[in-house]
Amino acid sequence: MALSRRDAMKFTGLAAVTAAASGYAKGDEAPKSAAKGVLLSPAPIPAAKGPRVVIVGAGPSGLTIAKYVKKGNPNIDVVLMDKRSVFMSGFISNLVATGILPLEFITHDFLEGARNGGYHFLQATAHEIDRTSKIVYTNEGTVKYDVLVLAPGIDYDYSKWSKGDVALEDALKTKFPGAFIAGSETLSLKSKIENFEGGVFVQTVPGGNYRCLPGPYERSCLIANYMKRNKIKGKVVILDENPNITIKADGFHSAFEKLYGDYITYMPSTTITSIDPYKQKIVTELGEEIEFADAALYSRVRGNKILEIAGVAKDSQFNKLEANIDVFTYQVIGDKNVFCTGDVRPMGFSKSANTANTEGRIVAANIVKHLAGVDLTQKNWSSPHTTCYSAVDANPLRAISVNAGYAYDETKKSFGFADASTMEEWNSQKGIDAGKGLMEWGKGLYRDFFN
């Protein structure tokens, strides 16, 4: 249930679904660095009455796993951990940022999920992980586990733009956040759009397997829609690292042309060579100079830094430092008591809420089997499912959609789409029906997480 009538929840500083810090300990004794900012006494949660599963990261994946591990075996003690006190979703946030929906729609109560799911919620930041002693060190104290799940979501990889310049990276994050990690970035984007007075608004689209493939294109449509309905003399310039729109291309191209021909300029195969966040100018590989009034600069993504802290990170085919796991069981290579899932997994599945939700049920079932002594193998794998709606218009709300499963190609040794289909006819009754479907899809995810 959304937190309506709770204006106090609209505070700046809602952080993303991550648990990042620094330092990694691996040994039987508490790490010496833990004395600084990390309590060595037990965290304030009841003693486990059965095997304990600790989940770091309460996004769509972590929330789903917490609920379905308890449903699979009520005798398992589950602790879901996140540094935020309030859940804010990335999915549907483009509609909130552009004023179509209220903030309360995407804002929810972690404790409601814990009450209804029968698990513990611990608001804490994981600083260090000792996989030998099976201890998570947090700012609230230590938490022992039998099984650890790392589901912390993405982090940004600014290296292609910043080239190691920390000051530049900080300026880009602060002045023009990508807004694909929900929380403060969502509020920042909402404020930017509400205060936009005209000129060029740049939306970048990264390469690799980034979070929410259609998200930047949906956002571009909705910002253009905001300009159009508020009679703002502006233009959205999409700088896409990819050679074409990555998903639902026909639907988005059609919307760009027929709805927002005067408001959107799409530039594919665009490699950015430099960004000046102070002069607000971008230079591309072809020497094009783009001056902008505001922007959402979405960099490439990487595995969340907690993977490095835990010593389970490895470069993947798509991105840097994602989880080094058995792609069929989600267990860390060399440590079957640690599972990594959601946006940090290295497979080419969509980094989206619905995918994480369906995948979370699979991982929860694997954890229950693992704790029952079952040796997980490739035979335990089943495909997650991706259902995704993207709004292209606000009044009426019209959307396009995709439905897809995944299959493993033994020859290529990789995963690809299976039984994929799209609905891209936004300019018909189907588009209006998909707009209604988008709303029900979002509400269904919230119900599954929290009820």
Side-chain angles (χ1 to χ4, degrees), residues 108-183:
H108 297 262
D109 176 11
F110 284 128
L111 298 179
E112 182 179 22
R115 288 192 299 270
N116 292 329
Y119 56 83
H120 308 289
F121 175 73
L122 177 65
Q123 185 186 348
T125 300
H127 285 291
E128 304 193 27
I129 294 173
D130 182 342
R131 291 195 287 120
T132 301
S133 300
K134 296 184 179 179
I135 298 174
V136 179
Y137 292 89
T138 83
N139 62 309
E140 290 292 326
T142 60
V143 185
K144 291 189 175 184
Y145 66 84
D146 294 285
V147 167
L148 175 66
V149 180
L150 297 177
I154 62 160
D155 202 348
Y156 293 124
D157 175 14
Y158 283 90
S159 60
K160 285 182 175 292
W161 294 344
S162 67
K163 299 176 178 61
D165 185 334
V166 176
L168 173 58
E169 183 171 324
D170 180 70
L172 294 174
K173 288 179 179 179
T174 303
K175 294 173 70 66
F176 309 108
F180 278 90
I181 296 178

Side-chain angles (χ1 to χ4, degrees), residues 60-208:
S61 185
L63 285 162
T64 302
I65 293 169
K67 176 178 178 177
Y68 283 94
V69 167
K70 287 297 290 186
K71 286 176 72 74
N73 183 350
N75 294 320
I76 296 174
D77 184 84
V78 176
V79 178
L80 178 62
M81 181 189 307
D82 200 285
K83 67 181 181 182
R84 303 173 301 166
S85 61
V86 175
F87 174 86
M88 187 183 288
S89 68
F91 62 94
I92 305 188
S93 64
N94 284 334
L95 280 76
V96 172
T98 51
I100 299 167
L101 290 175
L103 182 63
E104 286 87 351
F105 191 90
I106 63 170
T107 309
H108 297 262
D109 176 11
F110 284 128
L111 298 179
E112 182 179 22
R115 288 192 299 270
N116 292 329
Y119 56 83
H120 308 289
F121 175 73
L122 177 65
Q123 185 186 348
T125 300
H127 285 291
E128 304 193 27
I129 294 173
D130 182 342
R131 291 195 287 120
T132 301
S133 300
K134 296 184 179 179
I135 298 174
V136 179
Y137 292 89
T138 83
N139 62 309
E140 290 292 326
T142 60
V143 185
K144 291 189 175 184
Y145 66 84
D146 294 285
V147 167
L148 175 66
V149 180
L150 297 177
I154 62 160
D155 202 348
Y156 293 124
D157 175 14
Y158 283 90
S159 60
K160 285 182 175 292
W161 294 344
S162 67
K163 299 176 178 61
D165 185 334
V166 176
L168 173 58
E169 183 171 324
D170 180 70
L172 294 174
K173 288 179 179 179
T174 303
K175 294 173 70 66
F176 309 108
F180 278 90
I181 296 178
S184 284
E185 294 185 15
T186 307
L187 300 179
S188 178
L189 178 64
K190 179 176 172 62
S191 176
K192 283 172 173 284
I193 294 169
E194 289 173 348
N195 290 288
F196 190 75
E197 296 180 348
V200 170
F201 190 104
V202 168
Q203 172 66 65
T204 61
V205 185

Side-chain angles (χ1 to χ4, degrees), residues 156-402:
Y156 293 124
D157 175 14
Y158 283 90
S159 60
K160 285 182 175 292
W161 294 344
S162 67
K163 299 176 178 61
D165 185 334
V166 176
L168 173 58
E169 183 171 324
D170 180 70
L172 294 174
K173 288 179 179 179
T174 303
K175 294 173 70 66
F176 309 108
F180 278 90
I181 296 178
S184 284
E185 294 185 15
T186 307
L187 300 179
S188 178
L189 178 64
K190 179 176 172 62
S191 176
K192 283 172 173 284
I193 294 169
E194 289 173 348
N195 290 288
F196 190 75
E197 296 180 348
V200 170
F201 190 104
V202 168
Q203 172 66 65
T204 61
V205 185
N209 185 15
Y210 59 90
R211 172 177 280 178
C212 191
L213 292 178
Y217 312 112
E218 176 194 58
R219 180 185 294 167
S220 298
C221 285
L222 296 182
I223 294 176
N225 181 273
Y226 182 90
M227 293 177 182
K228 188 176 181 179
R229 69 179 188 261
N230 288 284
K231 297 180 172 55
I232 297 171
K233 293 182 179 180
K235 184 178 285 289
V236 181
V237 175
I238 306 170
L239 304 181
D240 194 344
E241 189 176 334
N242 305 284
N244 195 8
I245 293 172
T246 52
I247 195 166
K248 309 174 197 171
D250 290 344
F252 281 120
H253 277 305
S254 175
F256 291 174
E257 177 185 351
K258 295 179 180 179
L259 287 173
Y260 309 115
D262 294 331
Y263 291 90
I264 289 179
T265 296
Y266 177 64
M267 298 175 61
S269 299
T270 300
T271 299
I272 294 172
T273 55
S274 69
I275 305 175
D276 187 329
Y278 306 103
K279 295 182 179 179
Q280 297 183 193
K281 185 171 71 173
I282 292 171
V283 179
T284 74
E285 188 177 44
L286 298 179
E288 301 150 308
E289 295 187 0
I290 300 159
E291 296 182 352
F292 57 92
D294 216 331
L297 301 179
Y298 190 13
S299 73
R300 285 198 170 212
V301 303
R302 48 153 287 166
N304 187 277
K305 292 182 178 65
I306 193 68
L307 301 182
E308 292 177 84
I309 293 167
V312 300
K314 182 180 179 181
D315 289 351
S316 75
Q317 175 185 350
F318 305 100
N319 303 311
K320 292 181 179 180
L321 296 165
E322 295 188 309
N324 183 25
I325 57 173
D326 182 320
V327 295
F328 299 107
T329 70
Y330 293 84
Q331 292 167 296
V332 165
I333 302 297
D335 191 343
K336 293 184 176 182
N337 293 312
V338 180
F339 291 72
C340 298
T341 183
D343 287 355
V344 300
R345 41 104 168 101
M347 298 85 88
F349 307 154
S350 171
K351 294 184 185 293
S352 65
N354 179 262
T355 311
N357 175 245
T358 59
E359 180 184 72
R361 300 185 191 202
I362 296 165
V363 174
N366 281 356
I367 291 169
V368 172
K369 291 174 184 175
H370 173 68
L371 286 172
V374 175
D375 187 20
L376 301 174
T377 68
Q378 184 172 344
K379 294 180 180 179
N380 296 104
W381 183 82
S382 59
S383 174
H385 190 83
T386 297
T387 299
C388 177
Y389 291 86
S390 301
V392 298
D393 196 8
N395 188 22
L397 185 62
R398 295 188 282 187
I400 54 181
S401 65
V402 62

